[in-house]
């Protein structure tokens, strides 16, 4: 894939002066703060022609800010005016784990627990997601809500290692994935109150995420990434935006195939963003599940398609070997028939995930020149 000049690597933007490139089209590899270059790891659309970014410097941690037509704005260290709980947690000895400015931050507290910092009034959404996810018990360990206020939720640690990291799991890689897929297959279609849940005053209404909702997710991400996609071209010479539009049209038709969905009949509890970084595994306590805010009812094929797309992408990223990815793909293939899921529905949701990942990774400087692979993989299905 040809990378346009506007998004080539090794761009640096300083906090002292505005640059001439438009922020909607250019995400730098680094921002210079007090004379040091911080690597931009992730970025997100932030509305109003702005892009939010998170940068990292070894030994220094994270800094965040925004890009717009005037250049880069860097937030004060350990501060975010839209996340009122963040400064206090860090002042009390917490360590920043991730930070999407204006939206969410995760802080590891001195006692080992984790705090999610969100906008004021949004903590209830996190707690409600925790309650909706109780149907993943007992197959998965889930974090428990230890305390909360209007903008912060403190969660217990889920033991184990992320299934993103095969090197740390070593010879246990296959066992960890087999047990994790078995745990996923056990999830209750309708969670009950038999498991103690956090914040019992919160409603437990279970939203339904259907095919039309998934199409809307794709269209939303397409619009977010549009300025980046319309300037890059695929191997066929088309803009990536044209490719994405074509793929969304095809996937919409497939997802709207009500006959296939009805024949499958596998509607139940889903995570909605299931991938390797959301699953923990410990040889004693077994699998654990993270970030369950999006838990809902829907086609269970969605979770497996999402997981399989990520496994394929990890190989392309060079993070997993083909053999390591094959373990995950084989375990998914094992649980599909056992769970009564139509394999065709897994494939169409996998294709949808590949399209969405192309849009998401368009905002990540390290991967912008590889998103053509995601689009080609979606075309090939």
């Amino acid at each position: 894939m040809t990378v346009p000049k506007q998004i080539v690597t090794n761009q640096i933007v300083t906090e002292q002066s505005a640059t001439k490139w438009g922020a909607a089209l250019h995400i730098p590899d680094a921002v210079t703060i007090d004379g040091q270059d911080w690597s931009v790891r992730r970025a997100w659309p932030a509305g109003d022609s702005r892009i939010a970014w998170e940068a990292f410097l070894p030994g220094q941690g994270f800094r965040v800010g925004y890009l717009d037509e005037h250049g880069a704005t860097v937030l004060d260290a350990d501060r975010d005016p839209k996340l009122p709980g963040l400064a206090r947690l860090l002042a009390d000895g917490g360590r920043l784990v991730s930070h999407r400015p204006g939206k969410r931050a995760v802080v590891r507290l001195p006692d080992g627990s984790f705090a999610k910092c969100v906008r004021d009034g949004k903590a209830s959404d996190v707690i409600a997601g925790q309650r909706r996810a109780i149907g993943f018990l007992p197959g998965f360990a889930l974090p428990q809500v230890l305390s909360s206020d209007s903008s912060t939720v403190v969660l217990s640690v889920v033991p184990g290692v992320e299934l993103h990291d095969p090197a740390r799991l070593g010879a246990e890689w296959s066992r960890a994935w087999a047990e994790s897929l078995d745990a996923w297959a056990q999830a209750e279609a309708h969670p009950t109150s038999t498991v103690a849940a956090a914040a019992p005053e919160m409603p437990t209404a279970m939203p339904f995420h259907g095919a039309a909702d998934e199409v809307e997710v794709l269209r939303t991400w397409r619009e977010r990434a549009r300025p980046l996609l319309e300037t890059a071209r695929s191997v066929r010479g088309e803009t990536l935006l044209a490719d994405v539009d074509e793929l969304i049209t095809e996937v919409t038709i497939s997802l709207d195939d009500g006959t296939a969905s009805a024949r499958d009949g596998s509607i139940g509890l889903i995570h909605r963003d299931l991938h390797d970084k959301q699953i923990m595994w410990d040889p004693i306590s077994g699998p654990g599940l993270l970030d369950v805010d999006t838990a809902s009812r829907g086609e269970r094929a969605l979770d497996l398609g999402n997981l399989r797309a990520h496994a394929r992408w990890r190989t392309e990223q060079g993070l997993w070997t083909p053999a390591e990815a094959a373990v995950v793909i084989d375990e998914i293939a094992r649980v599909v028939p056992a769970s009564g899921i139509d394999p065709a529905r897994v494939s169409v949701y996998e294709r949808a995930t590949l399209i969405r990942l192309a849009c998401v990774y368009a905002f990540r400087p390290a991967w912008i020149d590889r998103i053509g692979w995601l689009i080609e993989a979606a075309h090939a299905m």
Side-chain angles (χ1 to χ4, degrees):
M1 182 183 76
T2 301
V3 181
K5 292 181 180 179
Q6 294 91 335
I7 52 176
V8 294
T9 58
N10 299 321
Q11 282 187 306
I12 305 293
V13 61
T14 67
E15 62 177 328
Q16 290 82 10
S17 62
T19 59
K20 294 183 179 180
W21 46 261
L25 294 175
H26 313 79
I27 301 174
D29 292 301
V31 290
T32 301
I33 306 171
D34 298 330
Q36 293 182 299
D37 294 340
W38 294 62
S39 298
V40 175
R41 300 198 320 168
R42 299 185 294 174
W44 305 266
D48 300 324
S49 299
R50 292 197 307 169
I51 291 174
W53 52 265
E54 176 194 74
F56 180 76
L57 183 66
Q60 299 288 328
F62 296 95
R63 292 296 296 272
V64 300
Y66 297 95
L67 296 168
D68 60 21
E69 67 272 16
H70 303 296
T73 300
V74 183
L75 296 187
D76 291 339
D78 300 340
R79 297 290 188 275
D80 190 327
K82 292 187 177 181
L83 304 181
L86 180 60
R88 173 181 55 80
L89 291 170
L90 295 175
D92 290 343
R95 178 175 60 83
L96 196 60
V97 175
S98 65
H99 188 179
R100 178 176 177 177
K103 287 288 187 181
R104 177 173 295 203
V106 177
V107 176
R108 186 179 183 105
L109 302 180
D111 65 0
S113 61
F114 287 86
K116 287 188 176 182
C117 298
V118 292
R119 293 187 180 190
D120 192 43
K122 293 295 185 181
S124 59
D125 295 340
V126 177
I127 296 171
Q130 291 292 134
R131 294 199 68 203
R132 292 196 305 269
I134 62 172
F136 282 114
L137 296 170
F140 285 107
L142 298 177
Q144 298 299 303
V145 176
L146 302 178
S147 64
S148 67
D149 57 31
S150 63
S151 63
T152 305
V153 179
V154 178
L155 299 166
S156 63
V157 174
V158 174
V161 175
E162 274 186 5
L163 291 195
H164 177 69
D165 192 350
R168 291 185 65 189
L169 286 161
E172 300 281 24
W173 179 254
S174 295
R175 175 190 167 191
W177 276 105
E179 291 185 3
S180 297
L181 267 298
D182 285 342
W184 178 88
Q186 294 175 34
E188 296 174 5
H190 303 284
T192 69
S193 58
T194 57
V195 180
E201 71 277 6
M202 294 300 299
T204 56
M206 182 67 72
F208 183 81
H209 184 87
D213 301 300
E214 190 68 5
V215 169
E216 186 58 31
V217 168
L218 291 181
R219 290 173 176 165
T220 297
W221 269 106
R222 178 264 186 205
E223 188 56 30
R224 289 170 176 171
R226 178 184 54 78
L228 298 165
L229 298 173
E230 66 187 0
T231 58
R233 295 192 175 275
S234 69
V235 294
R236 289 177 300 282
E238 299 286 342
T239 67
L240 294 188
L241 182 65
D243 270 332
V244 166
D245 286 345
E246 177 184 345
L247 287 166
I248 290 176
T249 297
E250 294 175 1
V251 167
T252 298
I253 294 171
S254 298
L255 283 174
D256 283 345
D257 183 356
T259 301
S261 182
R263 183 176 63 249
D264 172 17
S266 182
I267 302 297
L269 179 63
I270 58 173
H271 183 286
R272 269 196 57 213
D273 190 25
L274 188 67
H275 57 76
D276 46 294
K277 288 188 175 183
Q278 308 285 36
I279 306 173
M280 306 292 289
W281 183 82
D282 180 83
I284 297 174
S285 57
L289 196 60
L290 306 178
D291 291 340
V292 295
D293 305 6
T294 53
S296 61
R297 290 182 67 247
E299 282 188 74
R300 304 211 75 211
L302 184 152
D303 274 358
L304 296 183
N306 196 73
L307 188 58
R308 193 163 70 188
H310 278 85
R312 295 176 63 195
W313 175 229
R314 298 305 182 219
T315 303
E316 175 62 20
Q317 290 178 294
L319 302 176
W320 294 0
T321 66
E324 288 162 349
V327 167
V328 182
I329 292 168
D330 288 348
E331 288 300 327
I332 292 171
R334 177 179 63 83
V335 302
V336 166
S339 302
I341 295 173
D342 183 348
R345 299 302 285 178
V346 177
S347 294
V348 70
Y349 279 112
E350 177 184 2
R351 200 178 190 204
T353 300
L354 291 168
I355 300 166
R356 175 170 51 81
L357 288 177
C359 298
V360 170
Y361 277 83
F363 289 91
R364 301 188 182 184
W367 303 109
I368 180 62
D369 62 345
R370 307 284 284 280
I371 63 173
W373 181 90
L374 290 159
I375 291 173
E376 291 306 313
H379 271 299
M381 293 188 67

